[in-house]
Amino acid sequence: MPRRPGPGVIAGRAVACCLSLTVLGASGFAWYTTNQLNAVNRSRALDEARKDAPAHLDSSVNILLIGLDSRKNMDGTDLPKEFVQDELHAGSSEIGGYNTNSLIVLHIPPSGKAQAVSIPRDDWVQTYGADGKMHKIKEAYGYAKEAAEEKLRAKGLKGAELEQQSREAGRSATIQTVQKLLDIPIDHFAEVNLIGFYDIAKALEPIPVCLNNAVDDPIVSRITDSKGNVIRPGGGTGLELPAGVSQLDAAQALSFVRQRHNLTNGDLDRTHRQQAFIASVEYKLKQEGVIGDLGKMQDLLDVVKKDVVIDDRWQILDFVQQAPNLTGGNVEFNTLPIDKFATIGGQEVNQVDPVKLRRIVKQLFGQPVDADPAAAPATSTSTGPNASTGPSAAPAADATVDVLNGSPVSGAAGEESRALVALGYRAGKVDTADTRPRTTTVKYGTGARDAAQQIAARYGATATASTAIAPGHVQVLLGADHATRDPDTTGDPTAAARPTPTATLQMQGPPVKAGGVPCVD
């Protein structure tokens, strides 16, 4: 359902975070320059979130990439006027607050493909760190910063120190909000502001991107009547590109990741642009031999340490060891789904179901999920800042599971049976199906409802009662969608704890895969 785009400001800050991480992780051998990198801006904003973070079930790492929508430098001074007005066509540095218009959770597993999920900026959720009320998720940072700033001013703080400490409150609120919303631990974070994206893009230009269709996003002026009412909102980036691959300079790159006008799904399509841009940059670095070349990396390292803020416990040298999971195409980007568009308090928002989002993320990240959505915690209606998110998993229900293979994958039934046994279910019949369904289905007999619902969640399916299924049994009929399973799970009895194929998960649009220059709208 397309949404009428509102006045456009700036996107791409989390893009810069990802680019920064690509530069940091890809440099590998160049880390004898660690002393230089110690100059990167450090933050203690994770301290509060760590107090009640859900436990990890493996050695995976979750990194929150925060893109800050601010026309200010880190000391609170305005970004250069010519940059904001001439390069961005975005008014003055006085416009805009401290929204986090781009949020990406990067999940790096112990082995296999990394997953990244974008959270749409207008999702209506309970925020933390300030008033504990429902807001757009992008507003958690600004509300917390504003509340902290008032208290800090009363203590006599001002200037750069006031800006720094109040931003810490904003970061903390954003981290807590994401962690509570998705019920996953956030281990590290990186934040980049607007100028950071531009600096990195400038150092890398020209950058290849690919469009499915030609775009023309003319700049339009904001028009108001004599009473100040908006007749026509301003917007547009001035971007004009043909279909296919184009090579962008830094200014065009900004327009590419900012555009939301003249796109069918507005902000949601813009999110896919950001993901595709990150994939294209990673591909360019690899193709041009930048990765591993100290001389070529040095300018990028200087940009990263100047523009990025990371948490104080992040040991970058440890992160480098996981860099192979982020380069060579081993990252897939998805956008978390929304339920519908709505207007609340005069604001256009995305209504979401936190319970559903948690289940999707846990399946994607290879974590156990709750047995019954109706019994799962629903913090979307809670207003207190200390609302519980409940347990993150439920034990396997008692049932015997029969697995029939209707997919094109040879041996898939045996593989799935072993994986389900590893989760605590009893092995039943393993056979080839008489049909070849498009999607995986789950049916159950008398007394096996709870187990069926748990198992159905693994495949993104809905459990259905059937008198043809024996009491106490669950039947899994693997469909053609099972062929999309990550090949790393083949024959692995622990595959149940690995990511579910994204084709069976409800996402906002198709995934964007790294390893090339992906085409998007």
Side-chain angles (χ1 to χ4, degrees):
M1 176 172 54
R3 179 179 185 176
R4 177 179 60 82
V9 281
I10 301 167
R13 277 65 55 182
V15 178
C17 285
C18 273
L19 298 186
S20 298
L21 292 179
T22 299
V23 172
L24 290 174
S27 58
F29 78 95
W31 287 103
Y32 68 82
T33 57
T34 301
N35 288 336
Q36 292 184 14
L37 292 161
N38 285 337
V40 72
N41 299 285
R42 294 281 185 166
S43 164
R44 299 188 61 182
L46 261 172
D47 288 357
E48 193 64 30
R50 285 192 175 104
K51 293 178 181 178
D52 59 353
H56 267 297
L57 301 181
D58 54 26
S59 58
S60 61
V61 176
N62 296 326
I63 303 169
L64 178 61
L65 309 176
I66 301 173
L68 186 61
D69 182 13
S70 169
R71 319 311 173 69
K72 305 286 185 181
N73 290 303
M74 290 185 181
D75 61 1
T77 57
D78 291 344
L79 293 178
K81 179 180 177 180
E82 61 275 11
F83 171 67
V84 175
Q85 294 186 2
D86 300 338
E87 293 284 359
L88 293 182
H89 311 290
S92 69
S93 295
E94 286 72 35
I95 298 175
Y98 287 84
N99 290 333
T100 54
N101 281 354
S102 298
L103 292 169
I104 297 176
V105 178
L106 180 63
H107 176 78
I108 306 175
S111 63
K113 181 178 294 184
Q115 297 285 344
V117 290
S118 293
I119 307 172
R121 66 176 193 162
D122 289 340
D123 283 5
W124 188 250
V125 303
Q126 180 182 334
T127 59
Y128 294 80
D131 56 13
K133 295 180 180 179
M134 301 289 288
H135 295 291
K136 293 180 181 181
I137 194 167
K138 68 179 183 180
E139 296 174 329
Y141 194 115
Y143 277 114
K145 182 184 184 301
E146 183 180 10
E149 201 170 52
E150 184 177 347
K151 296 177 181 179
L152 293 169
R153 276 202 183 97
K155 295 180 180 180
L157 269 69
K158 57 184 179 181
E161 187 175 5
L162 175 64
E163 180 74 7
Q164 180 181 3
Q165 292 196 29
S166 59
R167 282 198 188 188
E168 284 286 82
R171 292 167 188 141
S172 179
T174 298
I175 294 164
Q176 291 179 68
T177 297
V178 171
Q179 185 169 269
K180 294 282 189 180
L181 174 67
L182 303 182
D183 192 28
I184 58 171
I186 299 299
D187 303 296
H188 300 294
F189 83 92
E191 173 194 296
V192 170
N193 63 4
L194 175 64
I195 193 68
F197 174 87
Y198 184 83
D199 286 345
I200 294 173
K202 193 70 177 175
L204 294 174
E205 63 181 12
I207 300 168
V209 298
C210 182
L211 289 171
N212 291 321
N213 305 289
V215 298
D216 185 6
D217 187 37
I219 299 170
V220 296
S221 301
R222 177 185 175 97
I223 299 177
T224 59
D225 61 20
S226 58
K227 296 181 180 180
N229 299 313
V230 177
I231 299 174
R232 184 181 72 182
T237 62
L239 184 66
E240 186 175 353
L241 292 174
V245 177
S246 296
Q247 300 288 336
L248 308 187
D249 61 24
Q252 290 173 313
L254 281 167
S255 296
F256 180 82
V257 299
R258 286 180 56 228
Q259 183 186 355
R260 64 173 178 170
H261 295 272
N262 302 303
L263 294 176
T264 303
N265 297 299
D267 273 340
L268 301 176
D269 284 342
R270 182 170 69 173
T271 297
H272 296 143
R273 290 271 191 95
Q274 297 169 7
Q275 296 165 346
F277 188 83
I278 295 167
S280 295
V281 168
E282 187 274 329
Y283 181 72
K284 175 186 172 74
L285 289 174
K286 183 178 181 181
Q287 290 297 108
E288 295 189 355
V290 176
I291 295 174
D293 187 313
L294 179 58
K296 293 180 179 180
M297 292 298 300
Q298 192 59 56
D299 289 343
L300 298 182
L301 292 174
D302 289 341
V303 170
V304 168
K305 73 178 183 182
K306 176 171 66 74
D307 291 322
V308 72
V309 179
I310 64 176
D311 63 274
D312 59 338
R313 300 188 193 181
W314 198 350
Q315 299 300 316
I316 299 298
L317 285 172
D318 292 340
F319 175 71
V320 170
Q321 296 176 4
Q322 296 173 315
N325 284 332
L326 300 180
T327 58
N330 289 328
V331 183
E332 182 174 85
F333 295 88
N334 279 282
T335 303
L336 291 178
I338 65 173
D339 286 349
K340 62 180 180 180
F341 299 119
T343 301
I344 299 178
Q347 298 186 82
E348 292 180 327
V349 306
N350 304 329
Q351 288 196 330
V352 297
D353 179 355
V355 173
K356 180 169 69 176
L357 296 185
R358 292 176 194 136
R359 293 174 65 83
I360 289 173
V361 168
K362 287 178 181 178
Q363 284 179 265
L364 186 65
F365 291 0
Q367 305 298 321
V369 297
D370 296 303
D372 186 350
T379 60
S380 61
T381 58
S382 174
T383 58
N386 298 315
S388 173
T389 59
S392 61
D398 185 35
T400 299
V401 185
D402 303 316
V403 185
L404 304 180
N405 187 16
S407 81
V409 181
S410 177
E415 172 196 340
E416 286 304 298
S417 180
R418 290 190 295 273
L420 291 165
V421 168
L423 282 178
Y425 303 102
R426 290 190 298 273
K429 178 181 178 181
V430 176
D431 205 349
T432 301
D434 295 330
T435 60
R436 294 293 183 266
R438 293 180 60 187
T439 59
T440 298
T441 60
V442 176
K443 297 180 180 180
Y444 63 92
T446 304
R449 174 178 174 271
D450 288 347
Q453 289 182 332
Q454 285 181 331
I455 294 167
R458 169 174 166 77
Y459 305 101
T462 300
T464 305
S466 173
T467 56
I469 307 300
H473 280 243
V474 175
Q475 181 196 81
V476 176
L477 174 55
L478 301 176
D481 57 355
H482 187 74
T484 62
R485 178 174 294 279
D486 188 330
D488 286 346
T489 65
T490 302
D492 185 353
T494 64
R498 309 274 283 277
T500 299
T502 55
T504 66
L505 296 177
Q506 179 189 352
M507 293 293 182
Q508 198 70 42
V512 173
K513 298 181 180 181
V517 181
C519 292
V520 291
D521 291 331

